[in-house]
Every structure is written in C-alpha cells, then in structure tokens.
C-alpha cells in the first residue's frame, strides 16, 4: 500500500510539471542568452544592415567610422544612407556607391564581392562577408535602397 501511494504521488508531481511553453528557449530548445535572443536576424532594410554589418564591421575608427574616414565614406548610424545612396565614389566618379534598384551596378556590391575595378575588396581588414550576407544587401538595393 505504501509503495502504491508513493507511485501515485510521483505521478501527480511529475504530471504537475507539464511540458512548459518553450518560453526562454531558442529553436533548438536551448536557453536564450541573458538579455533576450541577441540581435534580430539580418533583413534587407537599412536599419538591419546598419546594426548587423555597417556598425560592427565597417564603422570602426580608421575605416568608415568617426571623424576621419576612408574615401569620405562614413558608415556610422545616421550617416550611411547619405554617404551611399546615389553618391559617386571619389576613386572613380562614374562609380555610384548604391544605385537604388540596381545592385549589380552599385559600387558597394562590387567592393563586397571583390569584382571592383578600383581599390580593394571590402571589408579590408576582416574576412570577406558571406555571400548570403551580401545577398541581403543586394536585396535592399534591389528593393530601392530605402532609408
């Protein structure tokens, strides 16, 4: 009788636990890091590209961030659109940094993919961006490079 009581009590306790809602877990049922799930996935918007690519990779002192920047291209938040969209490159004024709707003609894509006719592939002091990341930037440009 005592054994039967212990089994019933154990079943009730385990049943009360439930399966949970999954809140606080990622798609692989692993705990999320403190502060939430981290940055939002990369999306073809200037805000997302700024947060995930330009700010951490490009807008660093000595490159495209702060007061003195390479080729006059400042990619800090609040500056990138005005320095990219329909702006000619000082390296070759026939090259437009971002041509809304035309990623193949945009000098930014050429620099990221390493097919530029002047200068070096970007980012200069880091590994090349994955093609999937460049494709998101391409999509932003194809969509009209809206601010």
């Amino acid at each position: 009788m005592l054994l039967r009581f212990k089994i019933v009590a154990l079943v009730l306790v385990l049943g009360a636990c439930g399966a949970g809602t999954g809140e606080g877990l990622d798609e692989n049922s692993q705990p999320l890091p403190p502060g939430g799930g981290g940055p939002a996935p990369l999306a073809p918007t200037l805000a997302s590209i700024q947060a995930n690519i330009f700010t951490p990779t490009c807008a660093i002192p000595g490159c495209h961030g702060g007061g003195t920047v390479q080729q006059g291209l400042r990619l800090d938040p609040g500056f990138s659109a005005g320095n990219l969209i329909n702006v000619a490159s000082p390296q070759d004024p026939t090259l437009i940094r971002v041509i809304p709707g035309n990623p193949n003609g945009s000098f930014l894509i050429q620099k990221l993919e390493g097919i530029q006719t002047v200068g070096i592939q970007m980012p200069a002091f880091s590994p090349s961006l994955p093609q999937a990341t460049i494709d998101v930037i391409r999509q932003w440009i194809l969509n009209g490079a809206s601010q």
Side-chain angles (χ1 to χ4, degrees), residues 57-128:
T57 305
C58 310
I60 55 177
C63 290
H64 298 290
T68 305
V69 294
Q70 299 293 316
Q71 300 301 324
L73 177 56
R74 190 166 177 188
L75 294 175
D76 295 311
F79 292 90
S80 54
N83 284 290
L84 286 172
I85 301 169
N86 292 314
V87 175
S89 169
Q91 293 174 297
D92 180 345
T94 66
L95 299 171
I96 307 302
R97 290 175 172 161
V98 170
I99 304 169
N102 184 359
N104 289 335
S106 296
F107 192 45
L108 175 64
I109 294 296
Q110 296 168 15
K111 294 281 277 187
L112 293 175
E113 291 183 337
I115 59 170
Q116 75 284 348
T117 55
V118 295
I120 60 172
Q121 183 174 6
M122 291 289 126
F125 304 109
S126 300
S128 300

Side-chain angles (χ1 to χ4, degrees), residues 4-27:
R4 189 174 293 172
F5 175 74
K6 287 181 180 180
I7 292 172
V8 170
L10 180 61
V11 169
L12 290 173
V13 168
L14 292 175
C17 292
T21 64
E23 189 173 341
L25 302 177
D26 67 12
E27 64 276 0

Side-chain angles (χ1 to χ4, degrees), residues 32-38:
L32 291 172

